[in-house]
Amino acid sequence: TRDGTPVALPHGATAVDFAYAADAETAGAAVGMLVNGMRKPMENKVVHGQVVQLVTGPALYPPDSWLTTARTGQAKAHIQQALARRDAEDASARGRAELVGALAEHGADLLDLEADGTAFSLCRRLGYTDLDGLYRALAVAEVTMDTVLGRLLPSSDQADQV
């Protein structure tokens, strides 16, 4: 921990487990560790009595490989949550990009539809709490592009396809 308090870990625990036990907030940004002053990878096992210091970087999310590296339920749960957030954000960005392209083909700009509240009104009418939810739904084909275009552009020929 930051104040030097020992961290109890089960036998076979790795630096990934240590990172989440010591500080779950910054663990996902860990890129390595110092064990007794020597740089080691996060997959390295830690043992009782070692002095471990995390090396953090700009990473926002842990790598997928940490799920198999982690030995404790706490670390695995945090990693699964972080990876789910990452995947949701990626899907939202993909869905938004697809919508931007589709709207551009009809001469419309998503930024304008977001700014005037039209996009948000649609997302609420379709049952999503926020625009990211709507964009994620587009990316995973939970809602079709034709449905969204038909409701965003009711005066276009897309309205007949809804």
Side-chain angles (χ1 to χ4, degrees), residues 30-106:
V31 294
M33 67 174 181
L34 298 175
V35 177
N36 299 329
M38 296 180 60
R39 186 160 171 104
K40 300 288 182 176
M42 292 297 292
E43 295 76 16
N44 197 65
K45 290 185 179 178
V46 293
V47 296
H48 180 72
Q50 289 180 321
V51 176
V52 179
Q53 180 181 3
L54 293 176
V55 178
T56 58
L60 296 175
Y61 299 105
D64 292 358
S65 64
W66 283 13
L67 269 178
T68 55
T69 299
R71 298 288 179 254
T72 63
Q74 177 189 13
K76 287 180 181 185
H78 280 285
I79 294 165
Q80 287 169 338
Q81 290 170 355
L83 295 178
R85 279 191 311 274
R86 180 202 63 199
D87 292 347
E89 288 175 11
D90 289 349
S92 177
R94 278 193 325 273
R96 187 177 191 285
E98 291 169 12
L99 183 55
V100 165
L103 285 169
E105 291 176 12
H106 294 276

